[in-house]
């Protein structure tokens, strides 16, 4: 393929691919399986926590968004914003994955509920 | 001077049309923020044919116009962050030398996404968007490269036109 890329262009491409690969590695290290709940945050403040093992539809942020949990995966099924980006996004189930609705400042984040287990142990 | 103003108008119109066409293409990759960036084609051309200042002005005008016409308050802030960061990096690489149009455009695509990611991080106050970084990097690189190839071909044919 002759598209006239220069040496520096290739260096740039390699750097970008390496950085992307590195973040994937970091993500799989911190993240991965074992996630069991989703946390709903609005403007950074935790609003609700739902278990991924229980199926259900939840209205969040006073009904602007509807979160659906099916088969251990969470997805946004409704949002009142015009762009509907969060609705089109694929369902999330892995640790630290998230669905974000920017106009409503809603973040749905998957996480491992370690703190709760810890409380149970110390009781 | 009169010619420059006319060209600037044409470029603005072209950027606006490309932004509109972009909204018509139903490309959904399941990841928010991944799109072709057709309007970036005009920005790259302006950067090479008119200069850095004009490219900045064009970028801001385009974002404001498309934002008011097709988007909302959020899409303006979003696009502005991406557009300005992307253009700054492109201007820097172009000045630095050693990069082809493809390389410059490619970096532009990547930093456009990074700019938007930073805004997203500030708006929703979470670091979990970091999860999108690899996807956005690769997507920005590929779309940027594609735009760069087209820009390169156009620039070859525009050699005789001075703006």
């Amino acid at each position: 393929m002759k598209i006239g890329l220069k040496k520096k262009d290739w260096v740039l491409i390699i750097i970008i691919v390496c950085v992307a690969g590195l973040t994937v590695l970091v993500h799989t290290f911190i993240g991965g399986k074992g996630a069991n709940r989703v946390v709903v945050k609005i403007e950074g403040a935790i609003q609700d926590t739902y278990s991924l093992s229980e199926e259900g539809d939840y209205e969040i942020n006073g009904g602007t968004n509807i979160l659906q949990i099916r088969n251990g995966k969470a997805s946004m099924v409704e949002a009142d914003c015009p762009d509907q980006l969060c609705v089109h996004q694929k369902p999330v189930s892995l640790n630290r994955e998230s669905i974000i609705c920017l106009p409503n400042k809603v973040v749905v984040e998957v996480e491992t509920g370690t703190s709760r287990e810890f409380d149970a142990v110390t009781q | 001077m009169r010619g420059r103003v006319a060209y600037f108008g044409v470029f603005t119109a072209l950027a606006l049309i490309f932004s509109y066409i972009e909204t018509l293409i139903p490309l959904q990759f399941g990841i928010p923020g991944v799109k072709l960036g057709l309007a970036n084609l005009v920005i790259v051309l302006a950067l090479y044919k008119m200069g850095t200042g004009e490219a900045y002005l064009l970028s801001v005008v385009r974002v404001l116009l498309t934002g008011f016409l097709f988007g909302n308050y959020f899409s303006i802030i979003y696009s502005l962050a991406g557009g300005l960061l992307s253009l700054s990096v492109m201007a820097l690489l172009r000045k630095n030398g050693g990069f082809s149009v493809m390389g410059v455009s490619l970096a532009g695509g990547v930093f456009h996404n990074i700019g938007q990611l930073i805004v997203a991080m500030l708006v929703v106050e979470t670091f979990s968007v970091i999860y999108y970084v690899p996807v956005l990097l690769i997507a920005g690189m590929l779309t940027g490269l594609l735009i760069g190839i087209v820009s390169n071909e156009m620039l070859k044919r525009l050699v005789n036109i001075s703006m």
Side-chain angles (χ1 to χ4, degrees):
Chain A
M1 194 166 61
K2 191 173 168 288
I3 45 172
L5 283 173
K6 291 183 186 172
K7 198 179 156 194
K8 276 195 181 177
D9 297 336
W10 285 112
V11 173
L12 196 65
I13 291 176
I14 291 165
I15 291 173
I16 293 165
V17 171
C18 283
V19 171
L22 211 68
T23 40
V24 170
L25 275 183
V26 168
H27 181 238
T28 40
F29 252 109
I30 323 173
K33 295 195 168 59
N36 53 16
R37 62 176 186 179
V38 286
V39 174
V40 177
K41 288 181 191 168
I42 293 157
E43 291 191 57
I46 295 177
Q47 215 74 16
D48 279 301
T49 308
Y50 303 109
S51 169
L52 272 175
S53 48
E54 287 167 38
E55 303 202 335
D57 295 346
Y58 308 100
E59 274 191 12
I60 49 184
N61 196 19
T64 60
N65 298 59
I66 294 176
L67 178 77
Q68 186 179 64
I69 297 177
R70 290 277 184 281
N71 307 320
K73 289 181 178 201
S75 58
M76 199 74 87
V77 285
E78 239 180 273
D80 65 354
C81 54
D83 43 315
Q84 300 286 310
L85 283 179
C86 55
V87 177
H88 289 298
Q89 209 188 320
K90 68 178 172 64
V92 292
S93 61
L94 294 173
N95 211 359
R96 292 189 183 265
E97 277 188 323
S98 59
I99 301 174
I100 291 160
C101 176
L102 267 189
N104 295 333
K105 297 184 180 176
V106 172
V107 180
V108 176
E109 204 175 322
V110 181
E111 61 163 49
T112 319
T114 41
S115 54
R116 193 183 283 170
E117 283 166 22
F118 217 78
D119 283 351
V121 173
T122 46
Q123 265 170 12
Chain B
M1 182 59 207
R2 228 191 303 160
R4 287 183 83 80
V5 173
Y7 275 124
F8 191 82
V10 172
F11 270 52
T12 311
L14 205 57
L16 209 57
I17 291 168
F18 276 147
S19 301
Y20 178 62
I21 292 174
E22 180 111 45
T23 63
L24 295 180
I25 303 173
L27 276 185
Q28 288 293 347
F29 296 96
I31 301 278
V34 176
K35 53 179 188 178
L36 261 173
L38 278 174
N40 205 34
L41 183 66
V42 185
I43 304 293
V44 172
L45 286 181
L47 183 66
Y48 273 84
K49 293 301 283 187
M50 301 176 94
T52 313
E54 278 83 352
Y56 268 106
L57 190 58
L58 183 65
S59 186
V60 172
V61 169
R62 175 195 82 85
V63 168
L64 288 181
L65 285 177
T66 45
F68 283 127
L69 284 174
F70 319 117
N72 47 44
Y73 158 72
F74 274 99
S75 61
I76 292 178
I77 301 215
Y78 227 20
S79 312
L80 211 56
L84 291 183
L85 185 66
S86 147
L87 185 54
S88 304
V89 171
M90 289 200 290
L92 205 74
L93 289 191
R94 187 180 104 93
K95 240 181 150 182
N96 233 309
F99 292 98
S100 69
V101 184
M102 278 77 75
V104 169
S105 168
L106 183 153
V110 170
F111 277 91
H112 197 277
N113 286 349
I114 292 177
Q116 298 198 330
L117 198 72
I118 291 171
V119 174
M121 241 144 88
L122 293 176
V123 170
V124 296
E125 292 171 43
T126 178
F127 285 108
S128 63
V129 283
I130 289 285
Y131 156 70
Y132 296 125
V133 165
V135 188
L136 289 181
L137 283 181
I138 299 298
M141 193 179 85
L142 292 179
T143 54
L145 185 65
L146 205 70
I147 295 295
I149 293 170
V150 179
S151 304
N152 196 34
E153 290 303 316
M154 286 183 77
L155 284 169
K156 274 188 209 162
R157 286 156 179 79
L158 290 173
V159 186
N160 295 323
I161 300 170
S162 63
M163 293 177 197

